[in-house]
Amino acid sequence: MAQGTEARPTPRPVFFVSDRTGITAETLGHSLLSQFEGVDFQPRTIPFVDTVEKARAAAAEIDRAAAASGVRPLVFSTLVDAEIRRTVAASRGVCFDFFDAFIGPLEREFATRSSHTIGRTHGLVDLQAYQARIEAVNYALTHDDGLGTGGYDRADLILTGVSRSGKTPTSLYLAMHFGVRAANYPLTEEDLEQARLPEELAPHRDRIYGLTIDPERLAQIRAERRPGSRYASLEQCRREIRQVERLYRMEGIPAFDTSRSSIEEIATAVIERAGIRRRLF
Amino acid sequence: MAQGTEARPTPRPVFFVSDRTGITAETLGHSLLSQFEGVDFQPRTIPFVDTVEKARAAAAEIDRAAAASGVRPLVFSTLVDAEIRRTVAASRGVCFDFFDAFIGPLEREFATRSSHTIGRTHGLVDLQAYQARIEAVNYALTHDDGLGTGGYDRADLILTGVSRSGKTPTSLYLAMHFGVRAANYPLTEEDLEQARLPEELAPHRDRIYGLTIDPERLAQIRAERRPGSRYASLEQCRREIRQVERLYRMEGIPAFDTSRSSIEEIATAVIERAGIRRRLF
């Protein structure tokens, strides 16, 4: 049974530990780890570690991973409470706490002590921000895929592009993360043949942003939905992308390539370019 | 014109600067700042600072904010490139770079140099992860608000709750952030009067998670949609919440209160409780 196992090193355990969701620890930890090539990681997130008891359980889990893998796990944490932090740091992991590193310098800068309380927002979540978020999500849903064009006057922006170029997830991300009202409108083969903006879009040209995508990638994505179809053929995808990019140029519509950027990056680039004031921070 | 201005101190400028979206810098910066009460901040995110030229422009903007406000701006950054980081740090802001603080210790731990390259994922975005995300978003959309109950066998989980308790945004967040397939089903007055799970839900009981909400808050949220209606009345909201919480207890459905947690927190708590393997990291 042992034969061959020495050829494949055990992935290094990586823990993301937080007194809240762990999302910040994950994001920062991943971007740090992405700087080290050829290291194989086994990620595990432990959220809501907001008592010393839970911190002991997390430390025990880290210690078990250390024993099982034979290497010290990496631990990225965002823990506000000093005792909870010490409890996790007492494990066999190599611990990096993002809070610990900055709260001291900030206290010196403000010449005051921080409150060291977990989840300051754990009371009633700010109703105004919540409403802005929900309203934007509802706007995206009721103005998805060419629906509700009569409501475009209320749009902060309108995304357009061919089928499967990433319009829906980008609209939803803009709503969820920034509270921005984004409609999206699909350009059909007929629209592309006519080589001009459909009449639903034309009056809103200054708020239109175009998505484009690598034709090979588009073909792969479409093949998931309709394998072997003309719709998913590379030839068709190449033609549509050629036409849509020409349309963007002719109409002066800023274009964003979704094949080389994540949804987060596209959404950020669009609101930056649009100069839109976001409703959520 | 100057009268009275001394009573209200100028908000302190806070910059989030990143070579990518700035989302990590924002999240961590906000959670650090939330530890300092009574300090008023003016936030500004500068994303995609990936050249020395853009870093100089960011530094100039920070310096202008310093001059205009008379206080040193705080700068939270995630900048991989050392020269870009130095350029921003040469501004008049008080700079905290999350990357800078950890990359050195990590290099020592790995006994290797990091690649110090911006946006390692800036090539073609991993197709498999992208597909998982898109598929989960599509699942959420086609199984939103009681639609597509025939597809519940494919659900990782099913959220339920009364109208406006947060089902749709939570389902979408689960899809977008974790690649988890979440359906959602609204409980109507009739369902609540019968005090048992609707027949569409009953076969899937072990994958059902309930949302609940403070009745006062629910009334406020519903009033945005239909002001003055019976639907939005506090009496109606109280009755529905009382009934739905009783239903959850009777059926052994885990319940999550959306009035005291953000959508991120609810989504994280649900997958943690469900023990679901996420498809995105």
Side-chain angles (χ1 to χ4, degrees), chain B residues 72-85:
Chain B
R72 291 182 72 190
L74 298 179
V75 181
F76 296 100
S77 63
T78 51
L79 295 166
V80 173
D81 182 88
E83 194 184 350
I84 291 175
R85 213 156 53 210

Side-chain angles (χ1 to χ4, degrees), chain A residues 147-182:
Chain A
L147 289 176
T149 53
Y152 279 8
D153 285 334
R154 291 178 54 237
D156 291 314
L157 60 92
I158 302 158
L159 293 176
T160 194
V162 303
S163 170
R164 301 276 97 183
S165 54
K167 299 181 297 300
T168 296
T170 307
S171 305
L172 288 170
Y173 191 88
L174 283 162
M176 190 82 83
H177 196 81
F178 300 120
V180 161
R181 285 190 297 268

Side-chain angles (χ1 to χ4, degrees), chain B residues 1-36:
Chain B
M1 250 177 77
Q3 67 200 50
T5 52
E6 65 272 45
R8 195 159 47 98
T10 316
R12 183 150 185 157
V14 175
F15 287 86
F16 304 104
V17 183
S18 171
D19 46 42
R20 299 186 65 192
T21 64
I23 293 168
T24 303
E26 286 176 5
T27 313
L28 200 48
H30 277 299
S31 76
L32 283 165
L33 293 177
S34 74
Q35 296 297 311
F36 296 90

Side-chain angles (χ1 to χ4, degrees), chain B residues 131-251:
Chain B
Q131 295 271 35
R133 194 173 204 187
I134 300 300
E135 204 223 305
V137 168
N138 284 337
Y139 187 89
L141 292 174
T142 50
H143 298 80
D144 183 39
D145 206 33
L147 290 175
T149 53
Y152 278 8
D153 285 335
R154 292 177 53 236
D156 291 315
L157 60 90
I158 302 158
L159 294 176
T160 195
V162 303
S163 170
R164 302 276 100 183
S165 55
K167 299 181 298 298
T168 295
T170 307
S171 305
L172 287 171
Y173 190 88
L174 283 163
M176 192 82 84
H177 195 81
F178 299 121
V180 161
R181 284 191 297 268
N184 76 79
Y185 189 95
L187 292 170
T188 62
E189 281 192 76
E190 294 69 48
D191 295 328
L192 295 172
E193 293 297 340
Q194 296 192 4
R196 62 163 190 264
L197 281 181
E199 59 181 31
E200 290 88 346
L201 289 182
H204 309 283
R205 182 172 325 189
D206 56 337
R207 277 177 296 161
I208 297 174
Y209 297 85
L211 300 185
T212 189
I213 185 171
D214 185 73
E216 282 75 18
R217 186 180 174 91
L218 180 61
Q220 280 178 291
I221 292 171
R222 287 184 171 184
E224 283 281 313
R225 181 182 262 192
R226 294 193 220 148
S229 64
R230 183 169 98 61
Y231 167 80
S233 71
L234 188 53
E235 189 194 345
Q236 177 68 17
C237 293
R238 281 195 179 130
R239 181 186 311 117
E240 288 186 28
I241 292 301
R242 196 170 53 235
Q243 289 174 324
V244 84
E245 292 187 348
R246 192 178 56 201
L247 178 64
Y248 294 157
R249 279 193 303 274
M250 283 170 48
E251 301 276 356

Side-chain angles (χ1 to χ4, degrees), chain A residues 55-212:
Chain A
R56 284 202 198 100
E61 189 176 337
I62 294 163
D63 288 346
R64 282 194 300 275
S69 67
V71 286
R72 291 182 73 189
L74 297 179
V75 181
F76 296 101
S77 63
T78 50
L79 295 165
V80 174
D81 183 86
E83 194 183 349
I84 291 175
R85 213 154 54 208
R86 276 194 298 272
T87 307
V88 171
S91 73
R92 291 180 55 203
V94 186
C95 295
F96 302 95
D97 189 90
F98 298 120
F99 231 85
D100 198 26
F102 295 99
I103 203 78
L106 275 173
E107 286 179 343
R108 286 191 289 281
E109 178 62 27
F110 290 126
T112 178
R113 296 282 306 196
S114 71
S115 57
H116 287 293
T117 46
I118 295 167
R120 289 285 310 286
T121 57
H122 269 184
L124 281 188
V125 175
D126 175 17
L127 187 65
Q128 207 180 338
Y130 184 82
Q131 296 269 37
R133 193 174 204 185
I134 300 299
E135 204 223 308
V137 168
N138 284 338
Y139 186 88
L141 292 175
T142 50
H143 298 79
D144 183 39
D145 206 31
L147 289 176
T149 53
Y152 279 8
D153 285 334
R154 291 178 54 237
D156 291 314
L157 60 92
I158 302 158
L159 293 176
T160 194
V162 303
S163 170
R164 301 276 97 183
S165 54
K167 299 181 297 300
T168 296
T170 307
S171 305
L172 288 170
Y173 191 88
L174 283 162
M176 190 82 83
H177 196 81
F178 300 120
V180 161
R181 285 190 297 268
N184 76 78
Y185 189 95
L187 292 170
T188 62
E189 281 193 77
E190 293 70 47
D191 295 326
L192 294 173
E193 293 296 340
Q194 297 191 3
R196 62 163 191 263
L197 281 181
E199 59 181 28
E200 290 87 346
L201 289 183
H204 309 284
R205 185 173 322 191
D206 57 338
R207 278 177 297 159
I208 297 176
Y209 297 86
L211 300 185
T212 188

Side-chain angles (χ1 to χ4, degrees), chain A residues 12 24 27 34 109 120 122, chain B residues 12 27 34 109 120 265:
Chain A
R12 184 148 184 156
T24 303
T27 312
S34 74
E109 178 62 27
R120 289 285 310 286
H122 269 184
Chain B
R12 183 150 185 157
T27 313
S34 74
E109 177 62 26
R120 287 286 310 286
E265 290 171 321

